Amino acid sequence: MRRSDPSRGDDRLTERGSAPFRVPFIRPEFPTVAELAEDFQQIVEVNWFTNFGPRERDFADAISMYVGEEYHAVTFSNATIALIALLTTSLGRGDGTRSVIVASFTFAAGPEAIEWSGYRPLLVDLEPGSLQPSFASAQAALAERNDVAGILLTNTFGIGNPAIDAWESLAAEHGLPLLIDSAAGFGSEYPEGRRVGTAGDAEVFSFHATKPLAIGEGGAVVTRDGDLARRLREVTNFGFSAGVGATALGLNGKLQELNAAIGLRQLEKLDYVLRRRRDVLSRYVDVLGEAVEFPRLIERSSVCFATILLPSGQIRDRAHEALRRLGVEARVYYSPPVHVQPHFAGCETVGALSATEDVSHRALSVPAYQGLGSQDQDMIIDIIGAELRDSTGPMEEARR
Ligand SMILES: *Cc1c(COP(=O)(O)O)cnc(C)c1O
């Protein structure tokens, strides 16, 4: 049996280990070995490895300072645990009968966190121009139902929602918490330069190795509500309050000192990372912008990657395949969207999710990381450009 052959190891590792892509989808830049050795040496000297040590405190302060002076940051071991802690703290643990509104066009972690918190994901469609959750769908659901406990707004691909003010008003009008999954969006902006992290009741960031602020595994909740921040800090440490033990249903979601130390170094480079990523994106927009669509406000985002909406699913699939053939790794986020994935088959949707299905067939996400060379950028542009030309020129006639 192949699986038991130790020389092959795990299939997934074999596939990754062989590194078939000359240009990977994402290549994080971590601190150097010398820098990490220095950080680790100090952590060992202080003899404080986790449990809100000096690095974690500095990192949490730096995160909140970046978002805005009056904000608090609570760090977590990853964003999924942060989402569960936030949902259960903000809404209380559900008994499986009430719903939380969330888009189907998102990463599964959001709807999964809703379920772990005891709620049912109520899946809404997306807005075609921005790929953000459909405001009209959420509005309709709230007008018709009385089982909605809250809204988990997902900032798609970490891009700030252009209609954030309307969402805040909608949640306030219905007296519901507005919790925001901004996992890939540390460094992004809403309209008028308002920083992502400042909206709703709280926003959640991921510092996973694939995100623009990459520390390996890590996450944070940012909120203006000091009491919510205090309760979250307790929840992430087994629900312990000083002196009395557990006062809430807690878990262990603490960020380790070494990851916090990496985070402090990554924050120093953030301006450079954002500038480079936005430069790569603007190159794509300059050359391809006439023929394809980019999500609204992506240019003010931290550009986790560049998502391009192609005119048809056929062209998307051909471009994806052409990139793969030439050694460029692209991805088809979010395909399948949440409501099509087997685990979520029983989830309720607000009407048909036709825009979500259309976009999931036409969207192609391509590399835009800070170290992507200009020749590789040109190659990506050329490959996509060639597929677009083929599809509109005589070649397409011949194909039909
Ligand atoms: C990456 C991501 C997450 C999960 O973050 P982790 O830190 O890996 O748990 C959740 N939601 C969205 C939208 C993401 O992109």
Side-chain angles (χ1 to χ4, degrees):
M1 245 181 62
R2 228 171 63 148
R3 279 219 155 239
S4 60
D5 175 356
S7 68
R8 290 191 58 91
D10 176 58
D11 283 359
R12 269 172 52 235
L13 289 179
T14 311
E15 197 181 293
R16 293 206 185 138
S18 61
F21 294 107
R22 200 181 50 74
V23 180
F25 185 57
I26 281 168
R27 191 192 292 284
E29 270 174 54
F30 277 98
T32 64
V33 172
E35 288 169 331
L36 279 178
E38 193 184 307
D39 290 340
F40 193 63
Q41 180 65 38
Q42 283 180 20
I43 289 166
V44 170
E45 272 164 24
V46 178
N47 194 30
W48 197 340
F49 299 89
T50 184
N51 286 21
F52 313 118
R55 298 305 164 112
E56 187 280 335
R57 270 179 275 167
D58 286 349
F59 183 54
D61 285 349
I63 293 291
S64 57
M65 285 291 288
Y66 184 86
V67 171
E69 239 174 74
E70 63 277 44
Y71 289 84
H72 308 267
V74 183
T75 63
F76 282 88
S77 51
N78 63 65
T80 306
I81 292 292
L83 281 164
I84 294 171
L86 176 61
L87 283 157
T88 53
T89 304
S90 182
L91 311 182
R93 260 180 98 220
D95 62 2
T97 62
R98 296 204 297 155
S99 309
V100 172
I101 289 175
V102 68
S104 176
F105 195 71
T106 188
F107 189 58
E112 283 172 346
I114 290 171
E115 285 191 43
W116 279 112
S117 305
Y119 295 90
R120 287 143 60 139
L122 174 59
L123 301 169
V124 296
D125 209 359
L126 60 72
E127 305 268 357
S130 63
L131 312 192
Q132 300 286 1
S134 164
F135 184 79
S137 296
Q139 211 173 20
L142 289 171
E144 284 162 17
R145 319 173 49 119
N146 54 17
D147 70 328
V148 178
I151 301 170
L152 181 63
L153 187 71
T154 51
N155 271 327
T156 306
F157 306 138
I159 303 165
N161 191 311
I164 191 62
D165 295 350
W167 281 95
E168 287 185 317
S169 306
L170 182 70
E173 192 186 308
H174 291 269
L176 293 174
L178 179 66
L179 311 176
I180 307 180
D181 178 353
S182 299
F186 193 80
S188 296
E189 285 173 9
Y190 292 116
E192 284 138 35
R194 178 181 179 188
R195 284 222 161 125
V196 166
T198 59
D201 292 86
E203 297 205 38
V204 176
F205 293 110
S206 170
F207 308 129
H208 187 261
T210 52
K211 314 288 177 175
L213 184 68
I215 72 172
E217 291 275 6
V221 174
V222 174
T223 177
R224 196 199 292 260
D225 181 344
D227 188 55
L228 177 62
R230 183 189 55 73
R231 290 194 292 152
L232 284 169
R233 245 170 86 94
E234 291 180 353
V235 166
T236 193
N237 188 34
F238 312 100
F240 288 162
S241 290
V244 292
T247 57
L249 177 66
L251 41 72
N252 180 2
K254 300 186 299 291
L255 183 72
Q256 300 196 66
E257 286 293 279
L258 187 58
N259 292 98
I262 294 172
L264 286 166
R265 294 203 185 262
Q266 299 297 62
L267 274 171
E268 285 174 22
K269 288 189 292 197
L270 186 66
D271 283 348
Y272 148 82
V273 167
L274 296 182
R275 197 167 55 244
R276 286 296 310 260
R277 285 168 179 261
R278 286 171 184 164
D279 284 350
V280 174
L281 176 81
S282 77
R283 194 111 177 269
Y284 292 156
V285 174
D286 283 350
V287 185
L288 297 169
E290 298 273 289
V292 302
E293 264 181 273
F294 291 85
R296 271 184 68 201
L297 221 56
I298 189 174
E299 72 283 358
R300 300 305 308 158
S301 78
S302 48
V303 195
C304 197
F305 37 75
T307 299
I308 297 171
L309 261 189
L310 292 150
S312 74
Q314 245 187 351
I315 300 171
R316 193 276 301 267
D317 291 344
R318 285 210 303 266
H320 191 193
E321 175 56 24
L323 288 165
R324 195 196 59 76
R325 264 199 319 273
L326 288 163
V328 178
E329 184 183 14
R331 299 253 175 105
V332 289
Y333 291 131
Y334 292 107
S335 179
V338 168
H339 72 283
V340 181
Q341 296 174 32
H343 171 71
F344 298 104
C347 283
E348 233 184 308
T349 67
V350 180
L353 305 186
S354 42
T356 299
E357 287 181 11
D358 171 52
V359 165
S360 73
H361 291 123
R362 292 196 291 123
L364 184 65
S365 297
V366 300
Y369 53 86
Q370 61 269 20
L372 185 70
S374 56
Q375 284 182 347
D376 290 335
Q377 296 168 32
D378 287 341
M379 186 170 74
I380 291 168
I381 288 169
D382 288 348
I383 294 168
I384 294 172
E387 290 302 331
L388 286 164
R389 270 195 309 280
D390 279 5
S391 70
T392 52
M395 282 297 292
E396 180 69 357
E397 299 297 315
R399 274 205 182 92
R400 287 202 191 105

